[in-house]
Amino acid sequence: QVQLVESGGGLVQAGGSLRLSCAASGRGFSMYAMGWFRQAPGKEREFVAVVSWSGRDTYYADSVKGRFTISREYGKNTVYLQMNSLKPEDTAVYYCASSRYYRADYDGYNYWGQGTQVTVSS
């Protein structure tokens, strides 16, 4: 069974850091792009970052650019999101997702994790 499992969320003060992890199980995930999304209460799920299957290409939402870093090891099924200089507006449930294509549209992400809560206090 295909599974994506996020971990690393928690409560942190503004200006602090967290690192999220997403572990994928199932065949072929090392060849898929891996992305992070987030959703705050009452808001739509929004794109955060994506990394290609090779780990060589990354893309970030403007809201997190310069503060967050997505990474993966080549050929492995785990992706990370290092979050620095966290702001209260970063508070959301963070989801990892897998796509066959780098820079895929939202509907191009076929598999999703259950989410991990990130809460940033001011």
Side-chain angles (χ1 to χ4, degrees):
Q1 184 176 359
V2 175
Q3 287 188 330
L4 301 175
V5 180
E6 304 96 333
S7 62
L11 175 65
V12 65
Q13 290 186 326
S17 299
L18 286 172
R19 188 175 76 159
L20 306 183
S21 300
C22 175
S25 63
R27 291 183 59 83
F29 273 93
S30 64
M31 299 297 293
Y32 280 67
M34 299 292 292
W36 286 97
F37 294 76
R38 66 187 183 185
Q39 187 167 24
K43 297 187 179 296
E44 65 181 6
R45 189 169 299 185
E46 65 176 350
F47 168 80
V48 175
V50 64
V51 60
S52 65
W53 67 268
S54 68
R56 298 175 182 174
D57 300 301
T58 59
Y59 181 75
Y60 299 90
D62 289 342
S63 59
V64 306
K65 187 167 57 178
R67 299 187 298 119
F68 291 10
T69 303
I70 188 170
S71 64
R72 74 186 302 173
E73 294 185 31
Y74 178 80
K76 296 187 176 182
N77 294 335
T78 302
V79 64
Y80 304 94
L81 185 68
Q82 178 66 46
M83 306 185 295
N84 297 327
S85 301
L86 283 163
K87 305 174 181 179
E89 50 263 45
D90 295 318
T91 295
V93 176
Y94 283 71
Y95 300 88
C96 65
S98 181
S99 172
R100 177 176 172 83
Y101 305 103
Y102 175 67
R103 298 290 303 278
D105 293 335
Y106 181 88
D107 289 343
Y109 287 85
N110 295 325
Y111 302 104
W112 294 82
Q114 81 287 352
T116 185
Q117 177 71 48
V118 172
T119 303
V120 184
S121 64
S122 60

